[in-house]
Amino acid sequence: MKKKYVYTSLTVLLLLLFLASILWGKNRISITAIYNLLTGTASQALQFTVVELRLPRTVLALLGGAGLGAAGFLLQGVTRNDLADASILGINSGAGFFVLIYLGFFAQGNGFLLPLLALSGGLVAVFLVYAIANQKGPFIAVDKLLLAGVAVNAGFGALTLLGTIKVAPDRYRFVTNWLAGSLWGANWSYVFILFFWLFILITITLVQLPYLDLLQLNDEQALSIGVKVRKIRLRFLFLGAAIAASCVAFCGNLAFVGLLAPHLTKRLLKDRATQRFPLTLLIGACIVLAADTLGRLLLESGELPAGVMVAICGAPYFLALLVQKPKMQ
């Protein structure tokens, strides 16, 4: 498939999913109603539903999906393994645990403190993974990195479960919805703050992205041409952790998005990292938008969180990759 055709098709799909996310829900909104809204003749109830409820939720799903896709792309590039993901390496659970403590015991969480706490938790997870996998010499053992991530993920998962048990009853529903990856309760302040963080982090990533292709070489080969393998790998680990943690802060623990998006990108486009990276953002946004929209429609009462919908598709895909015996460097 030609690159232009792939990008055009995914952009059209994203626009359709964006529109569907606004129109579809427990109360359907017609195209005519959207036209009335744009021309200023819609009712106040419709304006509130679209502008204050559905639109921020839709944009937040788009941003969160794109960010988690970007994080997965970086982590898979660093580890040279298609099974790598922020949720598997413990970054999501580390960020989630820190945010859980804040949301569950101290405040409801507005402003810039949420992504800072999530970033702290994600970096703690990365530090623990790196400390476990660290070895002498210029390289990092990639297989140990993945195994250490599984262990750290399990540890933070246990702490998170303990935290939900101890959380105050009046905040339990809010916290459990957030942990399940529910975008219910999204607002414009969340959208603007997440956009600010992602804009900075992805801009830095785009500058560093050409180095990611060098990491696909054998470590000895990369070192022989002057590539500082350990330094570059740590840089991308930090960026992946920071992007994933920022998304977790506002979208909850959306596991498997970072696994699915980069892998689907590789199937659609065989090219350098700089060419595939934007496509991964598009696919990640499509995955979360589709999951959130379907989650609102499947149940007659209530809704399925986007994180649950993604896991329903992501878990079997992950098992299929395991059966294929992926190459571990």
Side-chain angles (χ1 to χ4, degrees), residues 225-241:
I225 61 174
V227 177
K228 297 178 180 178
V229 177
R230 179 183 289 267
K231 184 178 180 180
I232 292 175
R233 185 163 277 148
L234 285 174
R235 188 182 303 161
F236 281 117
L237 275 174
F238 170 81
L239 284 170

Side-chain angles (χ1 to χ4, degrees), residues 6 16 55 77 79 90 103 125 143 145 166 222 228 279 282 284 306 321 324 328:
V6 171
L16 291 175
L55 194 55
T79 59
L103 293 179
D143 54 347
L145 201 68
K166 298 292 185 180
K228 297 178 180 178
L279 185 63
L282 279 174
L321 290 179
Q324 293 174 7
M328 293 182 67

Side-chain angles (χ1 to χ4, degrees), residues 71 91 115 119 122-123 126 197-198 201 237-247:
I91 296 168
L119 177 59
L123 291 181
V126 167
W197 280 88
L198 289 182
L201 292 169
L237 275 174
F238 170 81
L239 284 170
I243 293 171
S246 299
C247 295

Side-chain angles (χ1 to χ4, degrees), residues 4 6 12 18 21 32 36 115 118 150 153 210 232 279 284:
K4 184 177 180 180
V6 171
V12 171
F18 190 93
S21 178
T32 304
N36 292 337
V150 172
N153 184 49
I232 292 175
L279 185 63

Side-chain angles (χ1 to χ4, degrees), residues 197-212:
W197 280 88
L198 289 182
F199 179 80
I200 293 174
L201 292 169
I202 290 179
T203 299
I204 296 172
T205 299
L206 289 172
V207 174
Q208 300 293 324
L209 208 53
Y211 292 105
L212 195 63

Side-chain angles (χ1 to χ4, degrees), residues 25-247:
K26 297 304 176 185
N27 298 314
R28 301 291 180 92
I29 298 175
S30 66
I31 296 292
T32 304
I34 295 297
Y35 175 78
N36 292 337
L37 181 67
L38 294 175
T39 56
T41 58
S43 64
Q44 289 187 345
L46 178 64
Q47 291 180 31
F48 179 80
T49 299
V50 174
V51 178
E52 298 299 330
L53 297 179
R54 293 198 181 174
L55 194 55
R57 178 171 179 163
T58 299
V59 177
L60 190 67
L62 188 154
L63 291 174
L68 289 169
F73 184 91
L74 296 180
L75 295 172
Q76 288 184 17
V78 164
T79 59
R80 298 197 299 268
N81 193 294
D82 290 339
L83 298 180
D85 173 35
S87 58
I88 295 168
L89 287 174
I91 296 168
N92 281 12
S93 57
F97 175 68
F98 273 55
V99 174
L100 166 70
I101 297 301
Y102 178 64
L103 293 179
F105 297 95
F106 297 102
Q108 288 297 323
N110 253 324
F112 280 77
L113 189 56
L114 267 180
L116 286 174
L117 285 168
L119 177 59
S120 301
L123 291 181
V124 168
V126 167
F127 173 79
L128 291 173
V129 169
Y130 175 76
I132 295 170
N134 191 30
Q135 62 182 18
K136 293 182 179 180
F139 311 124
I140 300 173
V142 176
D143 54 347
K144 286 186 178 180
L145 201 68
L146 291 170
L147 293 173
V150 172
V152 170
N153 184 49
F156 274 117
L159 290 173
T160 301
L161 179 60
L162 179 62
T164 57
I165 294 172
K166 298 292 185 180
V167 74
D170 60 326
R171 297 185 182 182
Y172 180 79
R173 183 174 179 271
F174 176 80
V175 168
T176 52
N177 278 335
W178 175 81
L179 286 172
S182 174
L183 298 175
W184 177 85
N187 57 62
W188 284 113
S189 65
Y190 282 10
V191 170
F192 292 136
I193 296 170
L194 182 56
F195 176 81
F196 171 80
W197 280 88
L198 289 182
F199 179 80
I200 293 174
L201 292 169
I202 290 179
T203 299
I204 296 172
T205 299
L206 289 172
V207 174
Q208 300 293 324
L209 208 53
Y211 292 105
L212 195 63
D213 285 319
L214 297 176
L215 291 182
Q216 307 315 302
L217 299 171
N218 181 279
D219 283 350
E220 288 78 8
Q221 291 177 331
L223 192 64
S224 69
I225 61 174
V227 177
K228 297 178 180 178
V229 177
R230 179 183 289 267
K231 184 178 180 180
I232 292 175
R233 185 163 277 148
L234 285 174
R235 188 182 303 161
F236 281 117
L237 275 174
F238 170 81
L239 284 170
I243 293 171
S246 299
C247 295

